[in-house]
Amino acid sequence: MSLEVHKKLAAEAAMEYIQAGEIIGVGTGSTVNYFIELLADLKNRIDGAVSSSAESTKRMQAHGIKVYDLNEVNGIPVYVDGADELTSNLHLIKGGGGALTREKIVAAASEKFVCIADDSKIVNRLGKFPLPIETIPMARSMVARKLVKYGGQPMLREGFITDNGCTILDIQGLDIVDPLKMEREINQIPGVVTVGIFAERGADVLLAGGENGVTQINLSGPEMLTI
Ligand code: 5RP
């Protein structure tokens, strides 16, 4: 089975979390795009969606899914999104697609965060994937200098501007021993909009697609799903 099939399996498993009549939080990326396809089949049974990016909004609207502004809704029961790296204690690196700030906002507004991915993204320790940091453009060099103390090499994501008009620094070569501490510290640097560590509000459940199907991981441990 290919990586794409593994992503699709994870997206299918996430459908089990969707209830009729609800507004669903929807993330960004190639794995989520499979989820959006499946959600389109349910569009008359769900109320609509809150989107984490212009890209996902465009895709959902093309499928006729109603997209709400976050300010219009009282709460989001379930948020489904992908990730770039995941650990078994439900910490994530996100932002490979550059949508990390809106993703963090929608995750924070949601009761349950269901993270979908292919199982090659599961790691023992975060940091092999370059850590994305959304930055106010005028502060990017200053932020990059301050980040060097963490042992990584900051690289500007060339030619990329986020939905919020900001730049992204990708920090290569980090070894993230304490994700919660690093998330809190980097968030304090003036000019940082969002760091792509999701530990303060990690996922509630991971659905990882692989050769043998989908493994559901929560804080009680992994469980193979039959779907
Ligand atoms: C976008 C993200 C994505 O969820 C992450 O990059 C995973 O994307 P993909 O499913 O394409 O591998 O955080 O900002």
Side-chain angles (χ1 to χ4, degrees), residues 7 28-32 81-84 94-100 103 121:
K7 291 180 190 180
T28 302
S30 57
T31 315
V32 166
D81 196 1
D84 301 299
K94 290 187 46 54
L100 62 164
E103 291 172 339
K121 292 175 170 176

Side-chain angles (χ1 to χ4, degrees), residues 66-77:
K66 181 168 171 49
V67 178
Y68 288 92
D69 186 283
L70 180 60
N71 295 305
E72 294 177 284
V73 308
N74 290 325
I76 301 172

